[in-house]
Amino acid sequence: MSVPILLFSALVLASTLVIVTSVVLFAAVLRTSDARWPRRLAMALLLPWGGLEVWRVGRRALPALWASSILAYVALRVATAAAAPFA
Amino acid sequence: MGTRPGRVARGVAVGLGVALLTVAALLAGLALHANTAVGLAAAEHLVEWSGSETSRGTVRVGRVRSVPPRQLSLLDYRIIAPDGEVVIASDEIAGVPDWSGVLDGQVRFRPSRFVRARIRLTPGPDGQVNLVHASEVPDERFTIPLVFEDIRLIDNTIHVSLPGKPAVTMRRVHGRADLHIGHLWEWRLRDNRGEIDLPIVEPGFRRMNGRLKSDSAHPLVVRMEVDAGPIETSLSLDYHVPALAGEEGEPYLDLDLEEGEDEEEEAHEELSEAREEREEVERALREAERAGDEEETRELRQALEEHRRAERRAREQVRG
């Protein structure tokens, strides 16, 4: 397996994880927040805010996974952009 | 708190939802990143690796310009036969993905284009055309057929150097073609035009129809109309490889120049050729069914449908 194929696979998997955890976190914010509805929806749409809310009520794994997936994705985008001239 | 069966049903629904979401996200991720620099580099390696693994030849790609969901565009595409001969070298091979091909178990592109392809038709092992030998998929290897339909040929060169006759080269070949790469390898030419270097003269030709295929004792059969000044002749090439039919004898190329036929006679000839080819595929299909080779059976059924369509077209021409 060549380096470009490995990098591309990692990038696609990381983006998949970002999308899946974002949707699951969105649903979790709507379910767990005790805020009133317009505010709860705003929290769900602004995921960092909603993630903090879910973190605050003690369900920490999901916001941590979401944040890690975004960090991994950004790191891979930077790595692939830097490696592109050598691919 | 719900009942236990209720909780189980809810858990299954959530699991299914997450699984569907994951598949959708994966497809979105692929589509979003396919045309990035790393996506194109990965595609280049993937095309070279999969092409070289499934066929006998070695596939080389200079650069991938774009990949699906946009059109597939491979620049400086080459197939190198096991003996080292470059049997095809094309400036660009491109095609628009036809997603309905998935339902037929094919990776299909339509329409497609081959730009400045230099194709060499020379003898390979057992007399088979080296290009066919290098790019067909051996029966023991798994493959998903790769199909390019409605190919626009732009400024192609076809060099024919087969035993029995001096080499001929067709230049500035334009026209249409279809290509099926799998256990069955077939390249069909439709209504091509260009120039051909015959002894003394280099006339233009038009209405070149024919095919190059595996699993046939006549791998190359081509017919064209040649405009040699005031004389219009019809030229046919027929390459016969007795060994491919289990017979003895040396492979040879028949090259016949004869006076132009009228359109009716030619239409009848095309119909009889189409009928013969359809019968040939039917025979191969029966054999594959008897042998229980499901993959080959599926491919041959698809090929049979294409041949039936070609025969219908030829019959309509005869009637018209």
Side-chain angles (χ1 to χ4, degrees):
Chain A
M1 193 78 74
S2 70
V3 174
I5 292 178
L6 284 174
L7 277 174
F8 178 69
S9 308
L11 192 64
V12 170
L13 286 177
S15 71
T16 304
L17 198 59
V18 169
I19 296 170
V20 171
T21 53
S22 297
V23 174
V24 174
L25 185 60
F26 176 86
V29 175
L30 290 182
R31 276 175 52 83
T32 54
S33 170
D34 51 6
R36 285 175 180 276
W37 260 105
R39 185 180 162 83
R40 195 188 293 191
L41 188 61
M43 276 181 174
L45 289 172
L46 296 168
L47 275 179
W49 184 17
L52 281 175
E53 179 73 2
V54 173
W55 181 279
R56 193 181 56 75
V57 298
R59 293 179 63 181
R60 295 188 168 174
L62 190 55
L65 185 61
W66 175 73
S68 312
S69 69
I70 287 179
L71 283 175
Y73 177 73
V74 171
L76 278 165
R77 278 309 291 253
V78 172
T80 52
F86 312 105
Chain B
M1 280 291 226
T3 58
R4 189 178 158 76
R7 282 202 305 275
V8 170
R10 193 169 162 277
V12 170
V14 169
L16 269 176
V18 172
L20 281 174
L21 174 65
T22 306
V23 171
L26 194 62
L27 292 174
L30 276 170
L32 279 171
H33 299 96
N35 283 288
T36 59
V38 70
L40 296 176
E44 183 187 316
H45 286 248
L46 195 64
V47 168
E48 287 185 344
W49 173 78
S50 59
S52 305
E53 280 295 306
T54 50
S55 70
R56 296 190 187 93
T58 306
V59 173
R60 286 280 170 265
V61 179
R63 187 166 70 86
V64 177
R65 183 150 66 183
S66 61
V67 290
R70 286 157 57 182
Q71 72 164 356
L72 173 75
S73 170
L74 310 174
L75 304 181
D76 190 16
Y77 178 90
R78 278 163 293 143
I79 299 176
I80 302 149
D83 65 0
E85 182 187 17
V86 179
V87 284
I88 181 166
S90 182
D91 284 6
E92 185 188 19
I93 285 182
V96 177
D98 174 7
W99 302 108
S100 68
V102 175
L103 300 174
D104 299 327
Q106 296 178 340
V107 177
R108 193 158 66 206
F109 296 92
R110 179 173 54 189
S112 323
R113 66 175 183 274
F114 284 18
V115 183
R116 282 181 291 281
R118 291 155 315 271
I119 300 158
R120 288 181 61 82
L121 305 181
T122 53
D126 298 326
Q128 176 60 286
V129 177
N130 213 14
L131 168 64
V132 178
H133 173 76
S135 36
E136 76 172 332
V137 179
D139 288 344
E140 66 275 11
R141 294 185 202 169
F142 171 78
T143 188
I144 297 170
L146 176 63
V147 178
F148 289 91
E149 284 186 354
D150 196 13
I151 304 168
R152 192 153 60 95
L153 304 176
I154 301 169
D155 197 11
N156 284 205
T157 303
I158 305 172
H159 179 74
V160 185
S161 179
L162 294 166
K165 290 287 179 293
V168 289
T169 304
M170 297 169 218
R171 295 194 176 85
R172 285 181 272 285
V173 179
H174 295 257
R176 299 277 169 183
D178 297 303
L179 176 62
H180 182 287
I181 304 171
H183 293 130
L184 173 79
W185 193 98
E186 188 171 25
W187 165 257
R188 301 190 74 82
L189 297 166
R190 284 183 278 121
D191 208 15
N192 287 191
R193 64 185 193 285
E195 289 164 12
I196 182 166
D197 64 344
L198 292 174
I200 307 170
V201 288
E202 194 166 320
F205 68 85
R206 60 196 169 89
R207 296 182 67 185
M208 177 166 81
N209 295 295
R211 52 108 183 116
L212 174 64
K213 67 183 283 199
S214 60
D215 301 342
S216 169
H218 292 263
L220 174 70
V221 178
V222 166
R223 193 180 176 79
M224 69 188 84
E225 283 175 15
V226 178
D227 301 315
I231 312 155
E232 188 174 278
T233 51
S234 138
L235 172 68
S236 59
L237 305 176
D238 183 350
Y239 182 50
H240 184 211
V241 184
L244 295 175
E247 296 163 6
E248 284 189 9
E250 291 299 310
Y252 62 91
L253 175 70
D254 256 347
L255 192 151
D256 288 330
L257 263 172
E258 49 197 61
E259 271 189 37
E261 296 165 349
D262 61 30
E263 285 189 8
E264 195 183 332
E265 197 178 336
E266 196 173 322
H268 275 100
E269 205 157 294
E270 270 177 29
L271 175 60
S272 97
E273 270 175 26
R275 192 177 292 139
E276 270 174 33
E277 284 182 7
R278 191 250 308 151
E279 284 167 0
E280 207 172 287
V281 174
E282 276 177 345
R283 272 195 297 277
L285 177 61
R286 278 196 296 276
E287 274 174 30
E289 280 173 341
R290 264 200 301 276
D293 187 338
E294 286 180 17
E295 203 177 325
E296 179 121 23
T297 303
R298 198 174 54 243
E299 266 187 57
L300 285 166
R301 278 202 185 119
Q302 286 163 5
L304 185 59
E305 277 309 304
E306 284 163 24
H307 283 282
R308 279 184 179 143
R309 276 199 293 274
E311 194 182 336
R312 269 199 296 276
R313 277 200 298 271
R315 193 172 293 124
E316 278 161 18
Q317 268 187 341
V318 168
R319 284 184 193 138

